[in-house]
């Protein structure tokens, strides 16, 4: 369980997807807001990766759902780091 979460937190593809999700949400926040696109993006990436990468070898639905659930948690942690860095950056810039 913990190794699954750790491997997802260190996955460069996942980090890149969340980073570009965050940057896109920042650029479009005037039109779409910030919270809803980020929340939907976190769930989208969490579902997308286990279904399209090497983790799709898992045939058990319970194992696939647990990978998706851990993905939501790891995506939220990664996004939280990006949000914290952005908040620090905006405070320092002012």
């Amino acid at each position: 369980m913990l190794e699954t979460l750790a491997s997802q937190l260190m996955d460069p593809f996942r980090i890149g997807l969340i980073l570009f999700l965050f940057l896109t949400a920042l650029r479009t926040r005037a039109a779409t807001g910030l919270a809803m696109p980020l929340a939907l993006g976190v769930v989208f990436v969490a579902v997308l990766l286990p279904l399209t990468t090497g983790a799709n070898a898992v045939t058990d639905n319970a194992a696939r759902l647990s990978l998706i659930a851990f993905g939501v948690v790891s995506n939220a942690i990664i996004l939280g780091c990006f949000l914290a860095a952005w908040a620090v950056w905006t405070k320092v810039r002012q």
Side-chain angles (χ1 to χ4, degrees), residues 6 11 15 17 19 21 26-27 37 48-49 55-56 69-70 90 92:
D11 181 18
I15 293 170
L17 284 173
L19 173 66
L21 166 73
L26 283 179
R27 293 182 63 82
L48 176 78
L49 288 179
N56 64 357
F70 287 135
T90 56
V92 167

Side-chain angles (χ1 to χ4, degrees), residues 8-62:
Q8 287 182 349
L9 285 171
M10 291 185 274
D11 181 18
F13 187 61
R14 181 181 302 270
I15 293 170
L17 284 173
I18 298 297
L19 173 66
F20 289 111
L21 166 73
F22 176 67
L23 293 175
T24 302
L26 283 179
R27 293 182 63 82
T28 61
R29 69 178 178 242
T32 61
L34 196 60
M36 189 59 71
L38 288 177
L40 292 175
V42 162
V43 173
F44 176 74
V45 171
V47 172
L48 176 78
L49 288 179
L51 295 179
T52 59
T53 60
N56 64 357
V58 176
T59 57
D60 184 20
N61 282 336

Side-chain angles (χ1 to χ4, degrees), residues 70-91:
F70 287 135
V72 169
V73 171
S74 64
N75 290 350
I77 292 170
I78 294 167
L79 182 62
C81 293
F82 288 139
L83 284 170
W86 178 62
V88 168
W89 174 258
T90 56
K91 291 289 183 189

